[in-house]
Amino acid sequence: MSEPRTALRICPLCEATCGLTLTIEGTKLTGARGDRDDIFSQGFICPKGASFAEVDGDPDRLTGPLVRKDGVLQEATWTEAFDLVAARIQPMVAEHGPNSVGVVLGNPNVHTMAGALYPPVLLSLLRTRSLFTASTVDQMPKHVSSGLLFGDPFAIPVPDLDRTDHLLLLGANPLDSNGSLCTAPDFPGKLKALRRRGGTLVVVDPRRTRTAKLADRHVPIRPGTDALLLAALAQVLFEEKLTDPGVLEEYVDGLVEVREIVRDFTPEAVAAACDIPADEIRLLARGLAAAPTAAVYGRVGSSTVEFGTLANWLVDVLNILTGNLDRPGGALFPLSATVPSPRPAGPGKGFALGRWKSRVSGHPEAKGELPLSALAEEIDTAGEGRVRAVIAIAANPVLSAPDGLRLDRALSEHLDFMVSVDPYLNETSRHADVVLPPPPPSQSAHFDFAFNGFAVHNQARYSPAAVPLEDGRMDESEIHARLILAVSGMHGADPASVDDLVIERALTKAVAEPHSPLHGGDPEQLAAVLTGSTGPERRLDMMLRLGPYDLVLADLLAHPHGVDLGPLKPRLAQVLKTRSGKVELLPEPIAADLPRLRRTLDERPAALVLVGRRHLRSNNSWLHNIPSLNGGSNRCTLQVHPDDAARLGLTDGGDARIAAEGGELKVPVEVTDAVRAGVVSLPHGWGHDREGVRMGVAAATPGVNVNQLLDGSRLDPLSGTAVLNGFPVEVTPIS
Ligand SMILES: Nc1nc2c(c(=O)[nH]1)N[C@H]1C(S)=C(S)[C@@H](COP(=O)(O)OP(=O)(O)OC[C@H]3O[C@@H](n4cnc5c(=O)[nH]c(N)nc54)[C@H](O)[C@@H]3O)O[C@H]1N2
Ligand SMILES: Nc1nc2c(c(=O)[nH]1)N[C@H]1C(S)=C(S)[C@@H](COP(=O)(O)OP(=O)(O)OC[C@H]3O[C@@H](n4cnc5c(=O)[nH]c(N)nc54)[C@H](O)[C@@H]3O)O[C@H]1N2
Ligand code: SF4
Ligand SMILES: [Mo]
């Protein structure tokens, strides 16, 4: 028997990126606790992190590849699996063109090194425009807004939680989600600290969430109307001469135009639509303006809505009007260790939308992506350019995207070939012809390429694999590399050649850039000095060397609890990549969408609309298989306000039928005044009752798929993001 030992691992189960200390006996994980020495998370974890060993050791995880033979998925060798991928994808591309291969990237790609490092290579070699990701059921409105305002869709300012005096938080529930596009371990603690130091927390949410309970003021807004509220806040700032952009003025074009365009969104004009008294809106605006520093922050509930891009744009408009963008205590741009060293300030290439359109419904692309809502129709609608094959990586769109039944059928009946890179046989991967399972996270190294760019404190942490790869396992990076080779005509080549190719390209580009720390070097020599025992480590080493902090991989290895790179600093001039070199405060596509918002002022609101919710012990569609995280209050119930329950004849614990344009569901009712009247709430990620799914625990309490209520046609038009919150529903009792 070997002695128990410990190893460090950054938690991949949400965006907070907490440091975990794992206990290991032999090669078996026996527990996880918070790493008190972690320079960022300082010991904080949540129940999911505490269950890491159980998540890691779930017996339903696939242990090796599956290949469909005679219509049935069967165990196979890695060689058989990749041979089949190469044999099927290449001829399809040759015959039908690259767009016939759809690539679907799901949420966990931002939680793995492989997911950050390889999909860009896959896409550049495959050259398909059929790209669908979780962004269009999530944060695409923020990317579009940032692209238009700052010229860079990844220039996303984050609220300076540790220093702000006033936080106006819309459509986010970090006490349960632990935060999003704002990476902050112990977000709950940071909100409590804000209040302890005398600051103000305002939460705008149709539900009285755990976050709302912590707030000085909870504003139970009517779902879908955040853009109206935010426009009215801007209007009050102008009208009452409370705008104070300060030093930002020299960076911003369009202040006067914004003042004109919000002129008629007065508190009185929007009050009925938002169901917030006009006086209260004025108070909110004055409070925001009066705070020494303040940050406006909106997330999922103000993003996956009819006016998602407008709301996200207005969040930053308010940060700018109050002078809080790019200043400590306001909303700042993080600087991660693996982004290329910033170039000198000056005009950039700008950001374009709609460079191409989806085939069936003509949705404009955004950031090179088509709406996930349109995936099913792109597969099942006959014609030139149809998606005939799908490569799905860490994605379960049958549950996470609108109209899962249609997608389910499309994947099963209309696809010629499908590959899933997924640890589970679930609602989506069960349709694949080849399933390539990555190892459990304890066997993978970790670095947060994505989330360090949204972190409230600059830092870098790397955790090598805690446990060696089990026999028969393949590292997820190698799976991705082999997949890339198989689909791009290089099947069978050394997977390391993919990393070599990336390194060569990146270094050749960098040495030619005057501002690069490697300017003027020799790419071959520079490649030779890179250290690291794997391709991903060498690429991380290279990215650190190209980055802004004079770091190398050895620094991270020498500091396993992380390297502190300091608090966020003002850096707007570096960030701007618009053609004008300024913040373009009223971009044309935004101005063109505002009349659509204005029209809603004359419309009668729907009697009953649905919003989602997240539970602290869940993670989208794939953690319901973990016994200690499932059950208790983590259940798929329809929350209904007592007044609505009485009006509709619903009883707590009874069943109801809920219907909308995409279909209807039978759901258990939970009567609670945690939702406001006129609003019902059903969580997503449930509906684990399909045949062929190998997730035994989840199947025992399957729940229903809320996204079946949607038919895929409700989108925020600028970003192609699905409207998952604030759509009308009808609810009737079932006796
Ligand atoms: N109604 C409604 N729908 C929603 C939302 C909502 O709020 N309401 N939220 C939306 C949001 S914000 C998001 S991000 C999407 C998420 O939707 P998806 O992108 O589909 O992500 P998940 O549901 O988390 O499913 C992730 C898949 O990745 C697999 N997986 C887990 N770990 C790994 C790994 O290490 N490697 C690989 N290769 N695979 C892994 C899981 O088994 C699962 O199949 O859902 C969206 N859908
Ligand atoms: N425990 C847990 N943590 C998670 C996840 C999970 O599934 N479970 N998923 C992860 C992912 S992928 C993401 S993107 C993040 C998301 O993290 P958050 O953005 O914090 O998302 P939610 O917790 O869904 O909170 C959204 C809130 O918006 C409210 N809302 C709905 N409609 C409206 C509206 O029209 N206006 C306003 N103002 N509010 C509205 C809802 O009631 C809800 O409380 O969480 C991540 N962390
Ligand atoms: S808050 Fe997020 S990162 Fe931290 S332990 Fe929980 S799931 Fe993991
Ligand atoms: Mo998400």
Side-chain angles (χ1 to χ4, degrees):
M1 277 275 294
S2 53
E3 283 291 294
R5 63 182 179 97
T6 61
L8 301 177
R9 177 44 155 109
I10 300 164
C11 179
L13 300 177
C14 88
E15 300 184 31
T17 73
C18 303
L20 304 178
T21 303
L22 308 179
T23 45
I24 301 160
E25 287 175 40
T27 55
K28 193 176 159 18
L29 237 60
T30 51
R33 57 175 198 271
D35 171 16
R36 253 171 293 159
D37 299 319
D38 186 288
I39 52 107
F40 194 27
S41 61
Q42 288 147 6
F44 176 83
I45 54 167
C46 81
K48 283 190 286 182
S51 319
F52 183 88
E54 212 185 320
V55 174
D56 195 75
D58 184 354
D60 278 343
R61 278 179 185 267
L62 299 172
T63 54
L66 302 176
V67 167
R68 193 171 298 276
K69 294 176 196 162
D70 308 320
V72 185
L73 277 171
Q74 301 180 21
E75 285 175 17
T77 63
W78 289 102
T79 307
E80 281 175 293
F82 287 110
D83 281 351
L84 187 60
V85 175
R88 299 298 299 278
I89 298 278
Q90 276 255 285
M92 191 166 307
V93 173
E95 192 182 341
H96 300 288
N99 295 344
S100 65
V101 182
V103 174
V104 182
L105 302 175
N107 171 273
N109 282 301
V110 281
H111 295 277
T112 65
M113 289 182 81
L117 294 175
Y118 297 89
V121 192
L122 175 74
L123 291 166
S124 86
L125 293 177
L126 202 53
R127 296 182 162 278
T128 177
R129 283 181 172 177
S130 304
L131 172 63
F132 307 83
T133 85
S135 295
T136 51
V137 283
D138 186 350
Q139 83 290 357
M140 189 60 95
K142 191 83 237 172
H143 290 304
V144 170
S145 154
S146 282
L148 295 170
L149 279 167
F150 310 123
D152 178 355
F154 288 99
I156 295 177
V158 303
D160 192 2
L161 294 183
D162 293 323
R163 293 179 289 185
T164 193
D165 298 296
H166 184 113
L167 182 64
L168 171 56
L169 187 149
L170 306 106
N173 180 18
L175 261 79
D176 287 323
S177 70
N178 280 300
S180 182
L181 292 186
C182 175
T183 283
D186 198 10
F187 208 128
K190 289 179 190 301
L191 294 183
K192 288 173 195 155
L194 161 67
R195 297 219 43 209
R196 267 201 309 275
R197 65 177 178 266
T200 304
L201 173 65
V202 179
V203 172
V204 180
D205 197 307
R207 298 188 306 122
R208 195 174 64 253
T209 59
R210 291 172 62 223
T211 308
K213 284 183 191 154
L214 211 68
D216 296 87
R217 187 184 282 267
H218 169 218
V219 183
I221 192 170
R222 190 194 310 280
T225 64
D226 294 51
L228 289 174
L229 169 66
L230 294 166
L233 294 179
Q235 193 277 339
V236 175
L237 295 180
F238 283 116
E239 183 195 292
E240 301 191 0
K241 304 209 162 31
L242 297 172
T243 60
D244 184 14
V247 292
L248 291 173
E249 208 141 359
E250 89 179 77
Y251 295 102
V252 177
D253 265 350
L255 275 167
V256 175
E257 289 80 358
V258 169
R259 187 183 67 203
E260 287 311 306
I261 211 152
V262 299
R263 193 181 281 279
D264 46 353
F265 290 99
T266 61
E268 289 70 21
V270 308
C274 300
D275 198 16
I276 307 170
D279 289 349
E280 187 171 355
I281 297 175
R282 285 184 197 282
L283 289 179
L284 290 177
R286 289 174 198 150
L288 186 65
T293 65
V296 186
Y297 163 73
R299 262 312 270 131
V300 159
S302 57
S303 196
T304 52
V305 287
E306 296 275 358
F307 299 95
T309 302
L310 290 183
N312 276 275
W313 165 72
L314 282 158
V315 161
D316 285 327
V317 166
L318 287 171
N319 284 327
I320 289 167
L321 294 181
T322 53
N324 282 302
L325 185 78
D326 202 41
R327 82 165 167 206
L332 290 149
F333 297 96
L335 184 59
S336 117
T338 50
V339 293
S341 247
R343 60 167 187 55
K349 289 198 189 118
F351 174 78
L353 271 175
R355 293 163 297 172
W356 56 87
K357 294 204 157 72
S358 73
R359 178 181 65 101
V360 180
S361 289
H363 297 302
E365 63 77 34
K367 205 166 74 56
E369 300 183 20
L370 299 174
L372 190 59
S373 298
L375 175 60
E377 67 180 23
E378 290 297 325
I379 297 171
D380 69 18
T381 310
E384 186 76 37
R386 183 173 81 79
V387 170
R388 294 162 182 271
V390 160
I391 300 174
I393 306 179
N396 192 8
V398 168
L399 293 191
S400 45
D403 201 351
L405 282 177
R406 180 172 178 184
L407 184 58
D408 205 46
R409 266 196 308 274
L411 296 177
S412 121
E413 293 168 19
H414 295 270
L415 220 49
D416 298 342
F417 190 66
M418 176 171 170
V419 186
S420 264
V421 181
D422 206 288
Y424 286 105
L425 199 57
N426 65 14
E427 296 75 15
T428 299
S429 62
R430 74 191 176 115
H431 294 295
D433 297 286
V434 175
V435 183
L436 304 167
S442 62
Q443 296 174 33
S444 317
H446 193 77
F447 183 87
D448 280 298
F449 289 102
F451 297 123
N452 289 345
F454 307 121
V456 296
H457 190 91
N458 291 318
Q459 41 70 45
R461 294 163 298 154
Y462 174 62
S463 35
V467 171
L469 264 189
E470 240 173 316
D471 270 355
R473 288 283 191 186
M474 186 178 280
D475 188 77
E476 185 159 8
S477 295
E478 187 177 337
I479 294 175
H480 282 236
R482 286 191 188 276
L483 184 61
I484 290 169
L485 295 168
V487 303
S488 61
M490 295 180 275
H491 179 46
D494 182 356
S497 63
V498 174
D499 300 306
D500 293 339
L501 176 82
V502 174
I503 289 170
E504 185 202 307
R505 279 189 186 174
L507 290 174
T508 305
K509 182 164 170 261
V511 296
E513 286 171 339
H515 66 273
S516 169
L518 303 185
H519 176 65
D522 171 49
E524 234 171 274
Q525 278 173 6
L526 290 167
V529 301
L530 297 179
T531 65
S533 56
T534 62
E537 279 193 351
R538 291 179 69 234
R539 289 176 63 185
L540 172 57
D541 189 35
M542 176 187 74
M543 290 165 82
L544 291 167
R545 288 167 198 259
L546 292 173
Y549 290 106
D550 195 19
L551 280 175
V552 295
L553 177 66
D555 297 319
L556 301 192
L557 292 170
H559 297 92
H561 303 285
V563 178
D564 189 332
L565 301 169
L568 307 189
K569 293 194 191 101
R571 54 182 292 263
L572 177 61
Q574 282 180 353
V575 164
L576 292 176
K577 296 197 181 95
T578 51
R579 284 176 190 270
S580 61
K582 299 248 184 148
V583 178
E584 296 176 0
L585 203 59
L586 185 58
E588 192 278 325
I590 295 279
D593 200 27
L594 277 161
R596 189 173 64 96
L597 179 65
R598 195 171 284 114
R599 280 198 297 277
T600 63
L601 291 174
D602 306 321
E603 287 166 12
R604 241 183 77 194
L608 199 61
V609 297
L610 182 139
V611 301
R613 67 177 188 269
R614 286 176 157 75
H615 192 281
L616 181 61
R617 286 182 284 113
S618 78
N619 189 24
N620 299 325
S621 73
W622 69 278
L623 280 191
H624 297 137
N625 209 51
I626 309 303
S628 71
L629 297 177
N630 211 350
S633 57
N634 186 12
R635 290 192 307 133
C636 185
T637 58
L638 185 75
Q639 294 185 339
V640 184
H641 187 272
D643 293 352
D644 292 319
R647 180 171 59 91
L648 298 166
L650 302 168
T651 49
D652 189 62
D655 284 331
R657 179 178 295 106
I658 178 166
E661 61 240 16
E664 58 175 55
L665 304 166
K666 181 184 164 193
V667 280
V669 170
E670 180 186 345
V671 177
T672 164
D673 66 1
V675 285
R676 50 160 283 163
V679 176
V680 292
S681 171
L682 193 61
H684 73 285
W686 296 87
H688 308 292
D689 51 2
R690 289 177 167 83
E691 243 173 69
V693 172
R694 218 181 281 169
M695 298 182 80
V697 177
T701 50
V704 295
N705 178 12
V706 62
N707 289 324
Q708 198 48 54
L709 297 172
L710 293 161
D711 65 5
S713 63
R714 272 181 197 268
L715 300 179
D716 165 42
L718 285 180
S719 66
T721 303
V723 176
L724 305 172
N725 282 291
F727 60 89
V729 292
E730 278 174 24
V731 180
T732 46
I734 302 177
S735 49

